[in-house]
Amino acid sequence: MSGLRVVVDTTSPVPAYEQLRRQVATLVSTGVLLAGDRLPAARALAADLGLALGTVQRAYRELEAAGVVESRRRTGTVITANPVVVDEEVRWAAEGYVERALQAGLAHEEVLDLVRDALLRASSRRAPVR
């Protein structure tokens, strides 16, 4: 997949491999990356992002352990399955929230903290899944 667009913030407290893992998983869950799409070779992606090869390899290993990608000798790392694609309306709501929060002057971490808090509150109101 030559059009993979990910950004790693080396000043973030979130490790670079985790940022990469999250972004690829999100691209898969939202349907941007589909089953069979190839990810760039770890060495090429590391060079493009200015990361150590081991950082990208760790992200790929964790994605593989989660069943998101599969590493193959001849074809490289490919997306294995398409999880449920996020509903377009939900994506628009998320993008609208982020845009509104940024316009209000919130920093990225503050935006994420608000989402985490809302998720925890909503999860605590739901009945446990059995």
Side-chain angles (χ1 to χ4, degrees):
M1 164 103 210
S2 60
L4 180 68
R5 300 209 186 247
V6 292
V7 177
V8 174
D9 178 3
T10 56
T11 64
S12 171
V14 178
Y17 77 88
E18 178 61 14
Q19 293 178 52
L20 181 56
R21 185 203 63 78
R22 286 180 188 174
Q23 290 178 60
V24 171
T26 298
L27 292 170
V28 172
S29 69
T30 58
V32 174
L33 293 176
L34 303 172
D37 283 348
R38 285 182 35 181
L39 295 180
R43 189 174 309 280
L45 186 57
D48 287 347
L49 296 175
L51 299 173
L53 175 59
T55 300
V56 175
Q57 289 173 331
R58 180 168 180 185
Y60 280 15
R61 279 194 310 271
E62 293 201 9
L63 288 163
E64 189 164 17
V68 177
V69 301
E70 179 179 78
S71 295
R72 302 175 183 163
R73 284 223 184 263
R74 292 183 173 255
T75 57
T77 303
V78 297
I79 305 301
T80 58
N82 290 325
V84 175
V85 174
V86 174
D87 184 282
E88 193 70 25
E89 188 174 320
V90 173
R91 186 176 321 148
W92 286 340
E95 289 175 6
Y97 161 72
V98 168
E99 190 62 39
R100 187 171 178 185
L102 293 175
Q103 286 175 353
L106 295 175
H108 290 189
E109 282 303 314
E110 292 173 305
V111 173
L112 293 172
D113 287 343
L114 286 171
V115 170
R116 286 184 195 101
D117 289 344
L119 181 59
L120 288 172
R121 281 194 306 280
S123 297
S124 68
R125 291 191 299 264
R126 294 184 177 265
V129 178
R130 296 183 190 229

